[in-house]
Amino acid sequence: MTFSDTLPGHTEPTDLTRYFEEVEHASLHLPQDHSQQLLTWAEAQHLSQQMHFHPLMRQLGGLILDDVQTSNHHLYVSTGPLRGAICWLSHDGASRIVYASLSDFLSAAIAARAEHQILEDRHPELSPIAEDQHALGHWILTMLEEADADVRVPALIPSLDLTDLALLHQLASHEDFYIAEAIALEICRRPHKALAEVAQTCAQHPHPQAAKAGGRARGMIRGLRE
């Protein structure tokens, strides 16, 4: 079975076809010291099959797009409400959506290569917000009681617009402290007075790591009022 068998419709999507053509046309798959190296379609399939054990790879139908000889990768999301976006798969647990589309990713990768940088050092501070918030919220809820929820859910929280307070309260009070902490950390990045009670819920989490992040989020919101 090839990786394309795992993609919707069992074919390589048109946006991927154009993307890989551009990668080879611009020689972005060729090694360059201290810079971003993108993969060809065949290389992407091979590495993605090797990484299929990772919960986020399975959840997102991920296709790995680059390899800079680290355990971190950018991957194309082939399924779910974030389909077409690019996820940063980080070994240290700070995985998140970083680009809304392949074209955005390709432009950023070309710029990084021109400046002999790796793309990780140029990520936007905030994740792009998912267009279908209802679908994303429902998707997250279906993961909460599944294995590896602590890996899957925190990576998707930065794509929420933080307006569904019922969902946020449920996540902030979840027994898994990684999920509650992820809510608090995102509030720190995007503080708003409407999120004060959610931040308080995080601050009252029984695990000190989540509670500490909640305290910071609460402080950020209080600062807005002054």
Side-chain angles (χ1 to χ4, degrees):
M1 181 180 71
T2 65
F3 186 84
S4 59
D5 294 328
T6 70
L7 297 173
H10 304 290
T11 59
E12 180 184 348
T14 302
D15 54 349
L16 278 177
T17 300
R18 291 194 300 265
Y19 165 80
F20 283 109
E21 288 175 350
E22 180 61 28
V23 166
E24 296 203 45
H25 175 74
S27 299
L28 299 173
H29 62 298
L30 299 179
Q32 180 172 309
D33 291 341
H34 309 298
S35 185
Q36 200 71 22
Q37 180 182 350
L38 305 184
L39 302 177
T40 65
W41 169 241
E43 291 169 337
Q45 290 185 91
H46 178 71
L47 185 54
S48 299
Q49 288 167 346
Q50 291 182 327
M51 290 288 293
H52 192 64
F53 67 89
H54 195 286
L56 268 181
M57 284 289 293
R58 297 195 303 271
Q59 186 71 47
L60 301 178
L63 177 67
I64 293 178
L65 300 176
D66 63 351
D67 184 12
V68 291
Q69 303 304 310
T70 71
S71 56
N72 302 328
H73 303 278
H74 292 89
L75 62 91
Y76 172 87
V77 180
S78 74
T79 189
L82 296 171
R83 184 189 181 280
I86 307 302
C87 179
W88 171 239
L89 185 65
S90 176
H91 180 69
D92 68 5
S95 302
R96 65 185 178 100
I97 300 297
V98 287
Y99 298 104
S101 67
L102 273 170
S103 60
D104 289 346
F105 169 75
L106 185 59
S107 295
I110 290 172
R113 190 175 177 93
E115 298 181 19
H116 300 281
Q117 293 181 322
I118 58 172
L119 198 47
E120 177 181 355
D121 297 332
R122 301 169 57 96
H123 283 162
E125 182 179 354
L126 299 177
S127 294
I129 301 303
E131 292 185 5
D132 191 338
Q133 288 289 305
H134 177 75
L136 178 58
H138 177 71
W139 206 34
I140 288 174
L141 288 175
T142 64
M143 301 178 201
L144 286 181
E145 304 308 320
E146 296 181 358
D148 302 313
D150 59 330
V151 176
R152 303 180 190 202
V153 174
L156 305 183
I157 285 172
S159 298
L160 292 171
D161 64 8
L162 304 185
T163 61
D164 187 340
L165 298 182
L167 171 64
L168 297 181
H169 275 292
Q170 185 170 349
L171 298 175
S173 59
H174 195 274
E175 62 181 3
D176 190 294
F177 73 90
Y178 284 117
I179 294 174
E181 181 189 32
I183 290 292
L185 293 176
E186 200 57 34
I187 293 175
C188 287
R189 297 184 187 97
R190 293 181 278 157
H192 192 281
K193 289 184 287 186
L195 299 171
E197 291 186 7
V198 179
Q200 179 65 20
T201 298
C202 294
Q204 294 173 335
H205 197 278
H207 195 283
Q209 186 168 320
K212 183 178 180 180
R216 292 201 304 272
R218 187 173 55 189
M220 295 283 289
I221 294 173
R222 286 174 177 170
L224 295 176
R225 296 172 175 172
E226 298 175 355

